[in-house]
Amino acid sequence: MNMPLTYNDFRERIDIQDVLRDAGYHLNRRDGLRWPSYVRVGSDGRRVSGDKFIVTANGKGCFHPPEQKVYSVVSFIIHHPDLFQEYRPGMNTHHLVNLVCNRLLNQPIDRSMHNIIEHRRQAKPFSVKDYQFTYFQKLRAENIRKFGQFFNSRMIKPYVQRAFSPYFMLSTKQVENEKNIRRTNLAFPLTVPGGKDIVGLEERGRPRLDGSSGYKGKALGSNASEGLWIASPKGTELKDARHVLWFESAYDAMAYYQLHAWKNEELRRAVYLSTGGNPTVMQFRGVIREAPEACHHLCFDNDMAGRQFAENFHTELRHVREGLPKVGEDMKDYMASLRNPDDLLSGDEYRLPKDLQDAYGQYENEADELYSMKTSGLCPDFEIEEQTRKAMRLHEEYYKKLTDKLCIGQEQGRLKEIGTYDIPDWAIPALENGDYEGLTEEETDALNHFIDKHFPKGFISDVKWDDINEFNTRPAFGTHDPHALPDRGESPYQAVKTYAVRFFDPQRRDGEALPKLTVVREVPPDGSKDWNDMLFQKEMERIKTEILGPDGEKKIASGIDLDGDGEVELNESDEKKQAGRQRIGYTSILILLMLLNFTVRSHAQAVTANPGEHTILAAGNSLINETVGKEADAQRGTAILQSTMAAEFTTMKGWEKKYNSYLKTANGYASALKAATHIYDDGLRILITLDKLRRAVNNNPQGIAATVSMNNLYIETTTEMVSVFTLLKDAVAKGGESNMLTGAERSKTLWELEDRLSSFSHKLRQLYLSIRHYRMADVWNRATAGMIERDRRDVALQSLSHWKRYAKEVSLYSK
């Protein structure tokens, strides 16, 4: 058997000129033989202008001037399939290459096509044995800190972590083919609704140094189609939940709990779900079947994808309702007898309604006949086959009637039937269409009285046109017969032609699937993308308010002139300490006065009660007076010492003023320091960049808005500018006539100022380049990346557009 030829064989064994001749081209000898050229000839025998191929020097390729693309044997057939006789519209071009090349080589080929699918590597099933888990321990600070590095950047507080602690852990796994590398992630276990086994992990890595979120995904081999993260702070089972909340990530679920659970006790008993990304049909279906009476809160992200996920939930809910039986009153006994809830044929047939019993009886009779024919051995095969088809047809009819009775395939059950009545033929137009034309007053009153009596809330009618009674002496209503004797059991109405009419209640149904299940869509009210983003914004606002106060002014101003009198006041903590000391002093004085009062009263009582102790008390008073005199002498010495220190302090103040005067006049020193720290150079760069920024805004107004979506340069530039302003403000606050900066402080301040100015200049230049370059088209391309499919041509055109724009900007702004 010949081995199939490959493309390399075709390129080596087939001359490109043979392919050109087979495609209908002719050698043009006028161009010479060194560079053979092939042209196409029209029906008039003349050369077709512009349709020419030149063979390359090695004879293995050709090109179509003026294009420089060289075609090989294979690529020529692929790009010009309609030139060959084997081609058919819609044909696979690679199959065409095999047919043409094998024909040119006189190689027999297999005309049938076979799609060879490469063997797909089976992923290793998920197993918890491949991981080492570290669980959250509420009373160990070291353990809590390990989890804090994942939650702190998300602003999720410790009490929320404790509430969900049974439903997350740290997972550590050995990296394949790397002996010494182990990776640890925050893991949220996935389980199938109704099950307990862990079928996968929703993983989150540590945040990056720039603050952005790190790795996120699912563990290798996870059952992502059915598994979800299912959690409840109060341990509520999914089947018992009254509220089920859907999220795209576990972080969003915990953020929602932190935002709302403190004011809603029901949310503490609710069940929180995370799909770990795009929710699947099996996830929807499993949860709906497990929690059919809950209120489902769709808390997906506030974007286009989140809205689509909510629509998908409603669609799947409709499909689940269509697949569930809607059990009416006449089917309750049969459905209660099902031995297998998933098998509608496993119930007791004698509990079926009469019409279904009749259908089943016909099938059962034919099935018994089939069994007798097979076991008797007297019937030919063709009769057995015919009986088999008959029995199968009756079984299909019975099963269809059964599913129709249960409204399977419909979202709602049938309308509840009120009753069937024999209605006079003259009343049918009025019931069906409201057409009372031609009715007498007595007939109209009889019809209206019948409707008001039996259907006060309205009705829907269904006329059985085949159930007719030409001479009905007992209609549901009609014109009164004056000769009738109702006391003897005769009908009070005249005999009339009637039709059987079924009446239905328009507001009630015989059965309904998932009657208690409700759906609520929830999105962040402040317009945030997701709930974790909303939590982050609220926490940042809270922190800002704590630092700056509700009016946006700083509450603690240590070392700053607060009242504008030129003196540096005490900071808040010093004021609190001073107030505390004053309170302690007042309390001490009060206690001392009470003790003195008590001593005087006691002393008087003692004198009165025991005069013999007067001598001892007098000696004690003398000792006290002597001690007081010594303290007075010590206080006078202290006053003299304080006066001396005050004089020395005045002298030091004079020295300080002279030093300050020297610093003010030392222009050469200040200029040298400024030149050394490059402050002057940074200032010039900032001024030049501001001028360029003004030109960029005038030349490209779109860049102002486009930069907001493309990066964070506005915020970063503002932050650097505020830091420079703050540094200057602090430096000015520390200076003044009486408190000038020392040489070391001034040098330190100038070095810090140089660093801040350099960073500000760098960010300002980046902002200028961003406004200069970006357009709204760039914002659109970035927003739709991954949503709109783009081929290589579109990507190349975008790159070319950027290159041309850069070239134009260089020529415009380099002048």
Side-chain angles (χ1 to χ4, degrees), residues 423-437 439 447 463 465:
I423 305 299
D425 61 342
W426 50 262
I428 297 298
L431 282 176
E432 289 288 295
N433 307 316
D435 184 9
Y436 284 80
E437 185 177 358
L439 298 184
L447 175 59
V463 181
W465 298 104

Side-chain angles (χ1 to χ4, degrees), residues 240-533:
D240 302 326
R242 297 177 57 186
H243 296 273
V244 176
L245 295 94
W246 293 78
F247 300 89
E248 294 182 36
S249 72
Y251 278 148
D252 287 341
M254 299 175 74
Y256 182 94
Y257 180 87
Q258 182 170 328
L259 288 168
H260 300 92
W262 62 274
K263 56 184 178 182
N264 189 346
E265 181 66 25
E266 283 293 328
L267 294 179
R268 302 180 186 179
R269 293 188 290 268
V271 174
Y272 296 79
L273 308 178
S274 170
T275 61
N278 297 355
T280 65
V281 170
M282 297 303 295
Q283 289 174 338
F284 286 148
R285 189 174 301 171
V287 175
I288 290 173
R289 291 183 180 273
E290 190 69 15
E293 299 183 359
C295 177
H296 292 254
H297 301 253
L298 307 182
C299 306
F300 299 125
D301 291 353
N302 188 20
D303 54 11
M304 183 181 298
R307 291 188 288 272
Q308 184 60 51
F309 297 156
E311 289 296 327
N312 294 346
F313 181 88
H314 286 283
T315 301
E316 186 55 32
L317 177 59
R318 184 172 65 254
H319 291 164
V320 171
R321 280 178 170 159
E322 291 174 356
L324 292 176
K326 292 79 180 174
V327 183
E329 292 294 335
D330 55 348
M331 291 293 294
K332 284 186 176 180
D333 292 340
Y334 175 78
M335 295 300 293
S337 69
L338 292 181
R339 287 172 284 277
N340 180 5
D342 296 329
D343 184 7
L344 296 178
L345 301 176
S346 62
D348 298 330
E349 291 79 9
Y350 66 89
R351 300 179 184 270
L352 290 169
K354 185 178 184 306
D355 54 342
L356 291 178
Q357 283 188 16
D358 295 341
Y360 179 77
Q362 294 178 11
Y363 156 69
E364 189 175 29
N365 291 336
E366 298 300 331
D368 290 342
E369 181 66 20
L370 176 62
Y371 178 77
S372 299
M373 295 173 65
K374 287 183 176 180
T375 57
S376 65
L378 302 175
C379 299
D381 292 341
F382 72 90
E383 290 184 358
I384 295 177
E385 292 176 359
E386 183 178 355
Q387 184 65 23
T388 301
R389 288 193 294 269
K390 185 177 181 180
M392 291 179 63
R393 176 177 57 80
L394 290 174
H395 183 270
E396 291 174 357
E397 292 177 359
Y398 159 68
Y399 186 76
K400 185 178 186 305
K401 289 181 179 180
L402 178 62
T403 55
D404 290 346
K405 192 74 171 180
L406 295 172
C407 298
I408 294 178
Q410 303 176 20
E411 189 173 359
Q412 295 180 328
R414 299 180 184 276
L415 292 173
K416 188 173 184 61
E417 185 174 352
I418 302 175
T420 302
Y421 299 89
D422 292 332
I423 305 299
D425 61 342
W426 50 262
I428 297 298
L431 282 176
E432 289 288 295
N433 307 316
D435 184 9
Y436 284 80
E437 185 177 358
L439 298 184
T440 64
E441 184 177 353
E442 181 183 4
E443 292 173 342
T444 302
D445 292 341
L447 175 59
N448 292 335
H449 177 72
F450 173 77
I451 294 175
D452 294 340
K453 179 181 178 181
H454 295 89
F455 318 117
K457 297 182 180 180
F459 66 91
I460 294 176
S461 61
D462 179 26
V463 181
K464 295 183 178 181
W465 298 104
D466 55 345
D467 191 352
I468 184 174
N469 191 338
E470 293 288 350
F471 193 79
N472 192 343
T473 59
R474 293 186 177 276
F477 61 91
T479 56
H480 284 275
D481 184 0
H483 305 291
L485 300 174
D487 296 338
R488 296 185 178 181
E490 295 181 1
S491 173
Y493 307 115
Q494 295 179 1
V496 67
K497 180 181 178 180
T498 61
Y499 291 92
V501 180
R502 299 170 64 193
F503 291 88
F504 301 90
D505 190 334
Q507 300 178 358
R508 293 189 300 166
R509 294 188 176 271
D510 234 358
E512 186 176 355
L514 308 177
K516 298 182 180 180
L517 188 147
T518 56
V519 182
V520 178
R521 175 75 168 118
E522 293 191 36
V523 296
D526 62 349
S528 300
K529 178 182 177 296
D530 53 46
W531 296 101
N532 193 238
D533 188 23

Side-chain angles (χ1 to χ4, degrees), residues 53-54 56 61-72 75-76 78-80:
F53 283 91
I54 299 177
T56 57
C62 64
F63 63 93
H64 188 286
E67 297 179 4
Q68 298 298 319
K69 177 178 176 59
V70 177
Y71 295 98
S72 66
S75 61
F76 182 85
I78 291 176
H79 288 84
H80 307 87

Side-chain angles (χ1 to χ4, degrees), residues 5 85 122 137 155 163 272 286 325 382 447 504 593 661-662 673 788:
L5 299 178
Q85 60 185 6
Q122 295 292 332
Q137 299 178 14
M155 296 294 182
Y272 296 79
F382 72 90
L447 175 59
F504 301 90
L593 290 175
S661 176
Y662 163 74
L673 189 57
I788 299 178

